[in-house]
Amino acid sequence: MSASGLTHPHTAAPSFTRAWLTPLELGALGAIWGASFLFMRIAAPAFGPLPLVELRVALGALVLMPFLWKARASFGPGLWPKLALLGVLNSAVPFALFAWAAQRAPAGIGAITNSMSVLFTALVAFLFYGERIGARRAVALFTGFAGVVVLASGKTGGAGVAWAAAAGTTAAFLYGIGVNMVKRHLAGLPASAVAAATLSCSALLMLPFAIATWPTQPIGTRPWLAAASLGVVCTGLAFAVYYRLIQRIGPARAVTVTYSVPLFGVAWAWLLLDEPLTPTMLIAGTLILGSVALGQQQPVARKAS
């Protein structure tokens, strides 16, 4: 309300816009990141993990490059070794692990294990940076690991998925390291510019490996479209939306998108690839998503008497 008792039209509109825009963007981001596992499932068998990752990070870097160019004065020479290390830990290796898993197991396996990154962020902060983990998050971690064990023990279409689940879990752990590195070593820098820089470093570092393992057989239109969508939409545009959400609503609320990614990942694979939704996946997904939700809850503060 304004001083005259009337709502100013220019203040009401932004509040109304934020009220519907934030849930819309969170839902869209969950759907996009869930689709990334579908695209990897389509493209990885044709390209192989390393060439696919090269395309993904290079295209993502191109989309985000305007943010890096705008903030280029903040990125001195001494910062680039940290950015390169972050690119390895937060992009190149995790993307390669998920692509490798996509060659061997349904897309839903990678999507489900990806949600462990929230819990691994807390675990890395506890192990290496001395942050308290608390009883609630300790229980959440054990529950999440139980879900991974259940997932790894399952069989889909007659094939074991243990190695794919292990690869996805390792990738999620690397994401946990990467988030902590950004928080402690790159604070104050524009997040979208950091993403562009790390993806660019990843593209340069991965290029020799991608060239060495580039497939000799012709690649069809469908894998090319999947790889392009993975780089442009699921990496470049999605990172831009995610970092805008972090700025608007904060990291704690923005990270709740993690809850919907496995649901969308499994749903896309079921709808478009006819991949089965097994009881093992349902049980494991429930355990992992439940553990993530439990780990994100904040204890209720007691009122002073």
Side-chain angles (χ1 to χ4, degrees), residues 209-289:
F209 303 100
I211 293 173
T213 58
W214 193 267
T216 55
Q217 71 275 14
I219 300 171
T221 303
R222 191 166 178 251
W224 272 112
L225 290 174
S229 300
L230 188 63
V232 174
V233 180
C234 300
T235 306
L237 296 179
F239 270 107
V241 172
Y242 182 57
Y243 289 131
R244 188 170 70 172
L245 278 167
I246 290 175
Q247 291 174 348
R248 187 193 308 142
I249 64 177
R253 289 183 62 196
V255 80
T256 57
V257 69
T258 306
Y259 304 158
S260 62
V261 171
L263 305 178
F264 278 110
V266 172
W268 288 131
W270 177 66
L271 285 170
L272 301 178
L273 296 180
D274 275 337
E275 290 189 349
L277 178 59
T278 66
T280 299
M281 291 171 67
L282 283 172
I283 295 169
T286 301
L287 285 170
I288 292 173
L289 285 176

Side-chain angles (χ1 to χ4, degrees), residues 105-106 109 149-162 276-281:
I109 301 298
V149 171
V150 171
L151 190 66
S153 67
K155 292 183 180 294
T156 305
V161 297
L277 178 59
T278 66
T280 299
M281 291 171 67

Side-chain angles (χ1 to χ4, degrees), residues 165-190:
T169 304
T170 303
F173 179 68
L174 293 175
Y175 283 152
I177 296 175
V179 169
N180 279 279
M181 282 186 62
V182 171
K183 180 179 177 182
R184 287 164 177 83
H185 301 291
L186 299 172
L189 292 171

